[in-house]
Amino acid sequence: MRPLVLALFFASGVCALVYEVVWIRILSLTLSITVYALTTVLCAFMAGLAVGAGLGARIADRVRLPLRAFGLAELGIAASGLAVPALLFGLGPAFLWLHDALGGDGPAFFAGRFLLAFGILLVPATLMGVTLPLLSRAFVDRLDQVGSRAGILYGINTLGAVVGCVLAGFAFIPSLGLRATSALAASLNVAVGVGAFALAHRFAREPAPHESARRAPLSRHARLAVLAFGISGFTAMGYEVLWSRALVHFTHNSTYAYTAMLATFLTGLSVGSAVCSRFADRVRRPLLGVGAVQLAVALSVLAALRIYMSFERLVPALGEKLGGLASWSHVVALIFSEAVLTMLATTLLLGCMFPFVARAVVDSLDVVGRRIGAAYVVNTLGSIAGAALVGFVALPALGVRGAFLALVVVNLALGAALALAAAPRRAALPVAALAALAAVAAFAWIPARVFEQPFLDRFGTLRMYREEVTDTVMVTEAADGSRMIRYADGRGTAGSITLPEDRTYAHIPMLLHADPKRVLQIGFGVGHTLSSIAQYPVESITCVELSPGVIEAAPFFRETNRDVLSDPRVRLVINDGRNFLTTSRERYDVIRLDPPELHTAGVVNLYTREFYELAKDHLAPGGIFSIWVNNVMTPEDALWMLVRTIQDVFPYVTVWHGPAMFSWVINGSLTPHAPDVALLEARFAEPAVRADLATIPMRDPFHFLAHYVGSGEQLAPMWQSQPLVEDDHTRLDFSVPRSRDSYFGIANYNTGGWLIQQMEPGAVHDVAFAAFAEKIRHLAGYKQPVVPVLRGLDGLGAEEVERRVEAALETLPVH
């Protein structure tokens, strides 16, 4: 019957990771996509697991049918798995109340946000946490096989988590959406619970005496093993945070990249635990085994960093070995290869910890559940501390390299300390000395600019390089003196050469509004768009930017952004745009967004119907909502999905393009905002506005009208058959990275042409650009006549307007 029990625990692991992925995605919509919010959610989830493991430790040895208790927990997980999504999707009003009650952003609000997430996830996470102690009690029935049976149990559950992670990220959520995916996991939980009930009597255990644990306190070695397991959890989560940050330089920032990294991390833990369980019980000094694992973990991280140093050459070579990167499957294989090369050895070793720790702490069958549960609690608490302290303290204070080396030193010190405690002194002292030598050598072996070097190799001159908590931001300078802001995750960028485009995006909604006074700009970029908004006689401009590093880069573009942040009308807010609107009660005449490309993880939160509803609620009467999208890096069906979704919320929609036509600006409003020629002429007569338009160059209203693509009604044949983009089923963040248009989310011109030649075999940059231009010409074919929608002609004939617009169109760079 044991294989059936393992199958049940495998399925339980599948469900647990499916839920975790679903819950984090839903909470990112409400609590924002900032690293602070996501870490809060993760820590709340793990805190629930710790509570459950603690509860399981107290009851596991006292129940006669631990498998039945496990079945009850699975049924409870199923019930909560169905209920939690509804609660999470309805958090908006509670979140706003919490924000107001705690005085806005600040420590109290962050604490309240944690408690809110923890309170919702407490029941299901607690039930998940209770399962390991219960199954350990049922599965481990021989003292001489504690390590092997506990290790295989932990390994098989973690392997289920790998499968759940991959299924959720690559199949279930993309095709079914979040609610249906939760329901599918819940149905599997029910099956697991029923199966556990059927097997319960086969694994009956005599309840341990209530006082048995008190009569058998942990030995000194057992306490050290539990402490080491907690520190191991700290470093494991720290490494996960840091590798996610380091690998994004090469995998780039898509939903699939994070799924691949998490799956690789969990695979290592699973296989490591399963392999080590085969010999853990034969080790005479399990504490020494724990120490040896820690020393090996440190060395594996140093080796991985050295491999990482060659990625600029190694990754293209891997792409060639795969037969090029012209297909999505090859790109996925490359992403997994990058994760395996850097993370797998370390996580295999970290997985070895559990069998050794179980062997060290369990000295009686009466305390199997209690001891394993207690060790799991300490490990989970260490993981929580690692996620928070490494991400928010070590990384900004020491940088990515410094944080890596600090964790390596922790592993080396822990390994040396355990060797001194468990091995004869004459053998332990040389080990401790070698660990100290390795700690010193690590700082020389890993260069100071290890994470900066790939960008020095690609771009030459870096005027700024900042590793922030949120992301890595840099400013590059070309030989001609032009500057660009770039991001380590490869998302879109801006700079000197994008000045005409950036300024156009601001003018499209501003020229169409009769009297804009209050403006919200989400996304700063390099400040070009914001500075154009500031040329209008507005009363206030609120700019919301997610990354502090972007603001640090602003002075490098002072000549073109006119030092706009010093304008007294501008209020800067560091926050996620959706989160800002969720907690704001202000209304605006114009709301503008310049999000990154849609293949970037989390960006889709600004492109769903629910977000547009939120923005609509913050528009003043007669207001205009305006959002940018890179049309050449977005598949055509995805573009029409966006238009359809905006049209579903705003009855009046118009689509415009920039001077080079590689981007669309989609406007939505509750009242008509058809182009008014008289209003446009008045705007062009304003000296500051006219001067700014001349730099695009946009010399008169007809040059502006040449950027018109069409109204919602004119474009209806293209968007009517498309599905909506919704919070429950975002679609685009899964479909866009799979497309050649986005270069599968891992390459673009902003990364120096990185890997593009392997996606278009035999192509040089000019040929690749020709494909880019062909997409522009194709989309230009959707342009509709602007004359039928014009107002305020004041005697101008339709033919004359059409002639002037056509003449202006011929001056655009695309022609």
Side-chain angles (χ1 to χ4, degrees):
M1 296 291 106
R2 292 188 188 281
L4 294 178
V5 174
L6 292 176
L8 293 177
F9 208 31
F10 173 86
S12 178
V14 171
C15 296
L17 251 292
V18 169
Y19 288 132
E20 181 181 346
V21 172
V22 166
W23 296 342
I24 287 177
R25 284 184 66 89
I26 297 176
L27 281 166
S28 73
L29 297 167
T30 306
L31 300 186
S32 91
I33 63 167
T34 66
V35 66
Y36 300 98
L38 296 181
T39 303
T40 295
V41 173
L42 183 61
C43 289
F45 178 77
M46 290 190 294
L49 293 180
V51 171
L55 179 62
R58 297 182 65 86
I59 66 173
D61 300 313
R62 300 180 183 181
V63 297
R64 181 174 176 273
L65 299 173
L67 211 54
R68 185 169 65 181
F70 167 76
L72 288 171
E74 289 294 307
L75 294 177
I77 293 169
S80 57
L82 290 173
V84 165
L87 293 173
L88 297 181
F89 274 123
L91 267 180
F95 189 50
L96 178 59
W97 177 86
L98 188 68
H99 184 270
D100 291 345
L102 296 176
D105 295 334
F109 176 61
F110 291 134
R113 180 164 60 184
F114 172 83
L115 292 174
L116 182 65
F118 176 70
I120 293 174
L121 301 182
L122 177 61
V123 171
T126 297
L127 292 171
M128 291 176 189
V130 82
T131 58
L132 180 61
L134 287 171
L135 276 191
S136 297
R137 173 62 174 166
F139 202 72
V140 179
D141 59 355
R142 290 179 54 176
L143 195 58
D144 62 343
Q145 294 184 359
V146 170
S148 62
R149 293 194 173 175
I152 196 64
L153 199 63
Y154 178 83
I156 202 70
N157 182 252
T158 308
L159 182 61
V162 174
V163 173
C165 173
V166 173
L167 287 177
F170 282 84
F172 292 161
I173 297 175
S175 60
L176 301 175
L178 297 172
R179 288 187 174 92
T181 297
S182 293
L184 186 62
S187 65
L188 183 56
N189 281 128
V190 171
V192 171
V194 172
F197 272 93
L199 296 173
H201 287 279
R202 303 269 188 141
F203 292 86
R205 299 285 182 262
E206 286 301 318
H210 291 336
E211 299 300 320
S212 61
R214 293 185 182 179
R215 291 198 302 267
L218 283 172
S219 66
R220 174 173 171 270
H221 278 197
R223 290 196 300 271
L224 287 174
V226 172
L227 176 63
F229 201 33
I231 296 173
S232 178
F234 177 92
T235 59
M237 187 57 67
Y239 287 133
E240 183 178 353
V241 169
L242 295 175
W243 276 124
S244 296
R245 187 62 180 274
L247 285 174
V248 80
H249 297 1
F250 296 95
T251 64
H252 289 182
N253 188 17
S254 77
T255 298
Y256 295 108
Y258 284 115
T259 300
M261 284 185 264
L262 179 57
T264 302
F265 190 88
L266 294 171
T267 298
L269 295 181
S270 170
V271 175
S273 181
V275 170
C276 192
S277 68
R278 299 178 65 86
F279 57 83
D281 292 307
R282 297 196 293 270
V283 174
R284 293 179 57 192
R285 292 188 174 97
L287 186 64
L288 187 58
V290 172
V293 167
Q294 288 298 303
L295 294 173
V297 164
L299 297 178
S300 73
V301 173
L302 294 177
L305 288 171
R306 293 293 299 185
I307 293 172
Y308 179 88
M309 289 168 55
S310 66
F311 262 26
E312 198 74 6
R313 301 183 306 277
L314 182 58
V315 172
L318 284 171
E320 291 178 359
K321 288 289 185 183
L322 290 167
L325 301 175
S327 72
W328 169 241
S329 61
H330 287 190
V331 170
V332 171
L334 180 66
I335 292 173
F336 271 101
S337 298
E338 293 170 10
V340 166
L341 284 170
T342 50
M343 299 172 67
L344 188 61
T346 300
T347 56
L348 283 169
L349 291 164
L350 289 168
C352 290
M353 286 288 293
F354 186 75
F356 281 127
V357 170
R359 176 75 176 82
V361 301
V362 176
D363 53 14
S364 167
L365 291 179
D366 286 340
V367 294
V368 170
R370 187 181 189 91
R371 295 285 176 81
I372 289 179
Y376 187 61
V377 168
V378 174
N379 178 260
T380 305
L381 293 176
S383 299
I384 294 171
L389 295 180
V390 172
F392 300 150
V393 179
L395 194 153
L398 304 175
V400 178
R401 171 187 177 266
F404 262 119
L405 294 179
L407 292 179
V408 166
V409 170
V410 170
N411 291 131
L412 290 170
L414 179 59
L418 294 177
L420 290 170
R425 186 165 295 274
R426 64 180 178 275
L429 286 175
V431 171
L434 288 173
L437 181 62
V440 174
F443 287 85
W445 207 37
I446 307 302
R449 306 183 84 173
V450 58
F451 297 106
E452 187 177 351
Q453 193 61 47
F455 306 105
L456 287 168
D457 294 339
R458 291 184 199 178
F459 305 118
T461 303
L462 297 185
R463 290 299 179 188
M464 186 193 93
Y465 178 85
R466 296 284 188 277
E467 293 175 346
E468 302 284 350
V469 172
T470 52
D471 52 10
T472 298
V473 182
M474 68 204 81
V475 175
T476 64
E477 184 170 296
D480 62 2
S482 61
R483 292 178 177 178
M484 300 290 286
I485 189 172
R486 301 183 192 269
Y487 308 89
D489 60 15
R491 71 188 114 123
T493 188
S496 306
I497 64 172
T498 65
L499 180 63
E501 292 283 330
D502 299 341
R503 289 183 173 174
T504 301
Y505 306 147
H507 289 294
I508 287 172
M510 297 297 288
L511 287 171
L512 296 174
H513 195 288
D515 188 25
K517 294 299 183 184
R518 297 172 59 81
V519 179
L520 172 64
Q521 168 71 30
I522 296 177
F524 179 77
V526 295
H528 293 161
T529 304
L530 192 69
S531 72
S532 289
I533 292 173
Q535 304 312 302
Y536 289 81
V538 297
E539 296 174 356
S540 67
I541 307 171
T542 300
C543 179
V544 179
E545 170 56 49
L546 181 66
S547 172
V550 169
I551 303 306
E552 290 188 44
F556 292 92
F557 301 91
R558 186 176 284 114
E559 289 185 8
T560 50
N561 68 26
R562 308 181 183 102
D563 197 20
V564 65
L565 291 177
S566 65
D567 190 317
R569 297 172 298 169
V570 174
R571 175 172 70 107
L572 177 66
V573 178
I574 301 297
N575 201 347
D576 165 73
R578 180 162 179 159
N579 179 251
F580 173 80
L581 285 178
T582 300
T583 58
S584 172
R585 298 184 184 277
E586 298 181 53
R587 291 181 178 269
Y588 303 92
D589 298 305
V590 173
I591 297 178
R592 279 215 70 262
L593 287 89
D594 288 314
E597 282 80 2
L598 269 163
H599 63 261
T600 307
V603 168
V604 76
N605 292 359
L606 301 177
Y607 286 99
T608 68
R609 181 178 58 82
E610 288 80 1
F611 173 72
Y612 298 147
E613 293 280 2
L614 180 64
K616 181 184 72 173
D617 292 341
H618 287 77
L619 279 179
I624 297 177
F625 171 83
S626 183
I627 189 166
W628 173 92
V629 61
N630 185 319
N631 57 19
V632 294
M633 292 188 69
T634 305
E636 189 173 330
D637 60 342
L639 289 172
W640 297 124
M641 279 188 222
L642 292 178
V643 176
R644 159 80 197 281
T645 305
I646 294 176
Q647 185 78 56
D648 190 68
V649 176
F650 298 100
Y652 300 97
V653 171
T654 55
V655 181
W656 305 74
H657 61 70
M661 290 191 178
F662 67 81
S663 298
W664 278 359
V665 172
I666 307 173
N667 287 352
S669 59
L670 299 177
T671 55
H673 276 286
D676 186 314
V677 175
L679 175 62
L680 291 175
E681 289 178 341
R683 284 280 184 263
F684 272 81
E686 296 175 12
V689 174
R690 183 175 66 250
D692 194 65
L693 289 165
T695 65
I696 292 174
M698 194 178 287
R699 292 184 290 275
D700 57 40
F702 306 102
H703 279 83
F704 170 72
L705 295 174
H707 295 78
Y708 179 79
V709 176
S711 69
E713 291 182 358
Q714 289 173 319
L715 299 172
M718 274 67 77
W719 60 256
Q720 279 180 334
S721 62
Q722 296 295 334
L724 293 172
V725 181
E726 300 176 290
D727 284 352
D728 180 60
H729 203 171
T730 52
R731 304 175 191 276
L732 299 181
D733 51 333
F734 297 103
S735 64
V736 174
R738 287 176 174 265
S739 71
R740 286 284 296 272
D741 297 72
S742 70
Y743 296 100
F744 303 116
I746 67 167
N748 56 59
Y749 297 107
N750 300 325
T751 58
W754 172 249
L755 299 181
I756 286 179
Q757 69 278 9
Q758 293 198 26
M759 296 179 184
E760 298 172 356
V764 295
H765 184 273
D766 290 342
V767 177
F769 184 77
F772 208 70
E774 179 57 33
K775 177 76 178 290
I776 291 175
R777 283 191 289 270
H778 171 71
L779 292 174
Y782 290 113
K783 284 175 67 67
Q784 302 294 312
V786 69
V787 173
V789 301
L790 288 180
R791 296 184 302 175
L793 292 179
D794 290 338
L796 281 173
E799 292 183 1
E800 174 65 12
V801 172
E802 187 173 347
R803 184 188 66 78
R804 293 191 185 186
V805 171
E806 286 295 328
L809 185 60
E810 292 296 325
T811 68
L812 296 182
V814 73
H815 289 279

